[in-house]
Amino acid sequence: MRRTENVILAAMLAASLVGPSPATATEPDADADLREALRTQGEIIQQLRDELGRVREDQRRNEDRVRALEDQEVNDPTSGVDADYVDRRIEQFQHADESRLFLSGYAKAEFRDVLNDGPSTFDVQFNPIFHFRLTDKLHFNAELEFELDDGGETEIELEFATIDYLATDWLTLSAGKFLTPFNVFGPKIHPTWINKMASRPVIYDKNGGVTGVLSDVGIMASGGTEIWSEDSKWNYAVYLTNGAIGEEDGVLEFENTPDADHDKAFGGRLGFLPIPNLEVGFSGQTGKSRDQGRYNLIGADFWYSLAGFELRSEYSRAETDRDRWGYYVQGAYDLGEHVRETTGLMGMLGRMEPVVRWGETMGAGPNRQQVAVGLAYWLYPSVPLKFTYELNSGGVQNDRFFLQVGYGF
Amino acid sequence: MLRRFGWLAGCLILGSALGGLPSRGDEPQGDVGRGAKFYSDNCARCHKARPAVEHRDREWSIVMTHMRITAGLPGQQARDIQAFLWASNNPPPLILKKTGVAPAPLPGTQMLDQHGCRGCHKIGGKGGVIAPDLQGVFERRDEGWIRTQIQHPRQHNPQTVMPNLGLGNAEVDAILEALRGTN
């Protein structure tokens, strides 16, 4: 018994030394699982932390990119926009329909001294020109003239009022009252901001001229085309109007009165520019005046310019029962052609344009001769300050001095 | 007799006009280069040339119609002058310069004609008269001044009629080289 007990105790002791008891073998397995679970959880948490870091980094980069795009959009409004679309919209905006009425015109303020005990006076004139664009091809143009008579009362005249239809590139049809296309001074040069002298050439003077600045009521066809190259062209105008009313002291007069004898005046002008700086023109009109029967008007004009020098000349002849004719020649030299400074004394010199004009009239009525010298000082391309001195002989016109500011707008 | 001829001529002109009316929008556009030349040739014939800055584009359109009638200008020349005045008033929008790759500039001599430089300036003895003769320009002005005048004309003279054509540096280089060849 003792021997058996000793054997059993020895066996138990040996077992305890060799392996755990069934009770202690269960706890280490649970710890391991727990540790494994904890390790796994830790890995997962770390992965999540890493992922969160990457997300935050991406978010930061995206925010930087958005800021960069916003800055780019401020500096370059075209980014991301179709270029052709924006070009078209800009062009449409630039040429969008605005008012179809446009006001231009000219004016003058002058001091006029008739020498040799004649009167001296300040004078003013205002000529607004209304342009109304009905359509691209249909325009209305009208000019009023406001001036003071000898009594200081305001006189208002309708200088012209036409409706113009631009039928083709070479033909415009006009109806209404228009500046008669006879020579060029009347229809083109007489406005105060264009005429380099403060007075009209002698052939257009109310005292002892051939005609005045002609205007009449009727219909006209006009236009121009290139000839053998873009450097050469011709222009034309043909018209039917009411015609003259008569002549006084040899000067043919047009007062735009109704045509009582059903005999319209017919006339025209043909201009030829073989080179850009040379123009010659021929004008004519025939009709029957209200008071004095048939008349014919004949005219010729010439213009040439080179290196700042300009030469202009016109001839007029009025054939009634008493013929009258005359001419003028005008030369001008634009110092601005050679003086490019815009400030200082040289700048002042560059704005000056000395002018000299010679003319005479003869035939029925008093014969006149005139020499005029002048200086146009261009305050602006459409604002000349003009000094003009006329030496007149023959007729009833004394020598005259003018100081005039012309203004074109 | 002459009266009847006048009425007949009037009817013939009116009839041909009515028979040949172009529809609206058929007219060709204006060319800036030709417009510069015609501006120089025509607009100083009777009066001094007016700066483009005086009027906006729509106003110039109405003015040019009036001048076409008054001066007897051919219709296309009037449209070319109008295009030149519009170009003078409006530097090209930045959008027009937004290209992926800048195109190679034309030869300088070709650009002098295409952009209408000779329309106003005399270059190599030929050209317009309303702007300075460019013969000897490098003796009068340094290259920086000339470059500024080409790219920003109104910086030197706010009232200049010279248009800003939006030329890049490479194009200006070509123009300057062409100008040196004529001087």
Side-chain angles (χ1 to χ4, degrees):
Chain A
M1 185 73 166
R2 184 177 296 239
R3 193 172 183 178
T4 303
E5 290 176 355
N6 288 339
V7 170
I8 295 171
L9 284 172
M12 288 179 68
L13 181 63
S16 68
L17 290 175
V18 174
S21 67
T24 57
T26 303
E27 290 175 0
D29 289 337
D31 287 344
D33 290 341
L34 186 59
R35 280 197 291 275
E36 181 63 23
L38 287 174
R39 189 184 64 77
T40 304
Q41 293 296 324
E43 288 177 356
I44 292 173
I45 289 172
Q46 186 58 42
Q47 288 174 0
L48 288 174
R49 282 177 178 161
D50 292 343
E51 186 67 24
L52 181 61
R54 282 193 292 274
V55 168
R56 283 176 175 166
E57 182 62 25
D58 287 344
Q59 183 182 20
R60 186 186 60 78
R61 277 201 291 267
N62 285 338
E63 285 172 353
D64 289 344
R65 193 176 299 123
V66 167
R67 271 194 294 274
L69 285 174
E70 285 174 348
D71 289 343
Q72 186 183 6
E73 208 167 291
V74 168
N75 293 326
D76 180 5
T78 67
S79 61
V81 180
D82 179 65
D84 288 340
Y85 171 78
V86 177
D87 279 349
R88 286 196 304 274
R89 291 293 292 168
I90 289 175
E91 189 170 351
Q92 287 171 0
F93 176 76
Q94 282 176 343
H95 303 148
D97 276 348
E98 299 172 8
S99 173
R100 292 181 292 170
L101 177 65
F102 175 64
L103 179 66
S104 70
Y106 58 93
K108 76 172 182 184
E110 75 176 14
F111 171 76
R112 184 173 63 245
D113 188 10
V114 181
L115 304 178
N116 301 325
D117 297 326
S120 69
T121 184
F122 291 101
D123 198 6
V124 68
Q125 182 179 312
F126 173 53
N127 294 64
I129 303 177
F130 303 87
H131 309 269
F132 190 76
R133 185 191 189 101
L134 292 156
T135 70
D136 284 347
K137 289 187 171 293
L138 206 56
H139 285 242
F140 173 76
N141 301 278
E143 177 183 335
L144 297 177
E145 181 173 276
F146 296 84
E147 59 180 358
L148 300 176
D149 63 16
D150 293 340
E153 296 295 320
T154 301
E155 287 185 345
I156 304 174
E157 281 194 30
L158 182 64
E159 189 98 331
F160 64 80
T162 60
I163 186 160
D164 305 298
Y165 180 69
L166 283 74
T168 70
D169 270 5
W170 50 269
L171 173 65
T172 297
L173 301 172
S174 304
K177 182 177 180 182
F178 44 83
L179 294 170
T180 308
F182 181 81
N183 288 339
V184 293
F185 182 82
K188 299 178 186 178
I189 308 297
H190 83 277
T192 56
W193 68 278
I194 300 176
N195 185 7
K196 296 174 184 179
M197 286 278 196
S199 63
R200 298 177 176 184
V202 65
I203 58 174
Y204 296 107
D205 199 284
K206 293 174 185 176
N207 292 320
V210 179
T211 66
V213 171
L214 303 182
S215 67
D216 212 341
V217 186
I219 56 174
M220 177 171 64
S222 63
T225 66
E226 296 176 0
I227 308 177
W228 48 73
S229 74
E230 63 184 24
D231 287 335
S232 67
K233 54 180 172 284
W234 66 291
N235 53 69
Y236 73 94
V238 292
Y239 54 85
L240 279 170
T241 57
N242 289 337
I245 62 166
E247 58 92 3
E248 183 174 337
D249 291 334
V251 181
L252 204 58
E253 291 189 329
F254 293 77
E255 296 293 339
N256 310 127
T257 54
D259 179 32
D261 57 5
H262 306 288
D263 200 324
K264 299 289 182 291
F266 172 71
R269 177 185 179 270
L270 185 64
F272 178 52
L273 292 93
I275 53 177
N277 56 331
L278 170 66
E279 181 177 12
V280 293
F282 301 94
S283 307
Q285 184 183 125
T286 183
K288 185 178 177 184
S289 69
R290 184 192 66 185
D291 298 336
Q292 283 157 314
R294 294 217 67 82
Y295 70 90
N296 294 310
L297 274 179
I298 300 168
D301 57 86
F302 171 88
W303 169 81
Y304 179 72
S305 83
L306 183 66
F309 175 72
E310 178 190 80
L311 184 66
R312 187 181 292 282
S313 178
E314 293 184 27
Y315 170 83
S316 294
R317 182 182 181 92
E319 296 176 346
T320 61
D321 52 357
R322 302 190 301 158
D323 296 351
R324 185 165 181 78
W325 61 95
Y327 68 92
Y328 79 90
V329 180
Q330 176 175 298
Y333 189 65
D334 185 358
L335 295 177
E337 185 71 20
H338 302 284
V339 177
R340 291 294 175 178
E341 281 81 358
T342 56
T343 58
L345 284 176
M346 292 302 289
M348 290 180 64
L349 193 65
R351 294 173 184 269
M352 294 183 183
E353 186 166 8
V355 192
V356 62
R357 187 177 68 205
W358 161 261
E360 59 178 332
T361 59
M362 59 202 81
N367 290 353
R368 284 190 56 190
Q369 296 83 37
Q370 181 190 87
V371 175
V373 292
L375 177 70
Y377 183 83
W378 296 93
L379 298 168
Y380 186 74
S382 61
V383 184
L385 175 64
K386 292 182 267 188
F387 304 85
T388 299
Y389 188 86
E390 280 183 0
L391 293 161
N392 292 295
S393 59
V396 297
Q397 190 60 273
N398 290 353
D399 295 348
R400 295 190 296 182
F401 169 75
F402 297 82
L403 176 59
Q404 181 190 97
V405 175
Y407 186 86
F409 58 91
Chain B
M1 177 68 172
L2 204 56
R3 178 183 60 177
R4 292 195 184 96
F5 172 77
W7 280 112
L8 177 61
C11 291
L12 284 173
I13 291 170
L14 185 60
S16 62
L18 292 174
L21 297 176
S23 59
R24 187 174 176 175
D26 286 350
E27 295 175 341
Q29 297 298 310
D31 180 85
V32 175
R34 279 166 48 100
K37 173 180 163 46
F38 297 140
Y39 177 87
S40 175
D41 287 345
N42 292 287
C43 298
R45 189 151 40 104
C46 297
H47 56 73
K48 287 194 174 292
R50 307 275 288 267
V53 295
E54 278 195 15
H55 301 302
R56 292 177 295 179
D57 290 356
R58 192 66 178 177
E59 292 169 342
W60 273 124
S61 177
I62 300 174
V63 168
M64 279 311 304
T65 301
H66 173 67
M67 291 315 307
R68 171 178 159 180
I69 299 168
T70 302
L73 292 176
Q76 186 58 48
Q77 290 196 5
R79 286 189 291 275
D80 292 338
I81 294 173
Q82 180 176 282
F84 170 74
L85 291 169
W86 284 357
S88 291
N89 256 348
N90 303 292
L94 288 175
I95 190 70
L96 294 177
K97 308 303 292 180
K98 180 177 167 57
T99 55
V101 176
L106 295 170
T109 50
Q110 194 172 338
M111 277 197 283
L112 290 177
D113 290 325
Q114 187 180 62
H115 292 307
C117 307
R118 275 202 175 88
C120 297
H121 294 277
K122 196 162 282 185
I123 301 172
K126 295 180 184 177
V129 296
I130 67 168
D133 186 340
L134 296 185
Q135 186 69 33
V137 64
F138 293 99
E139 297 165 13
R140 302 193 297 270
R141 303 288 186 185
D142 59 52
E143 182 175 313
W145 191 98
I146 298 172
R147 190 177 286 275
T148 300
Q149 180 66 19
I150 294 173
Q151 292 183 298
H152 306 283
R154 291 199 181 144
Q155 191 162 321
H156 293 140
N157 179 7
Q159 292 183 346
T160 184
V161 74
M162 180 169 170
N164 181 347
L165 296 169
L167 299 178
N169 288 334
E171 292 159 313
V172 174
D173 289 342
I175 288 177
L176 291 177
E177 186 181 338
L179 285 176
R180 286 194 186 90
T182 64
N183 273 259

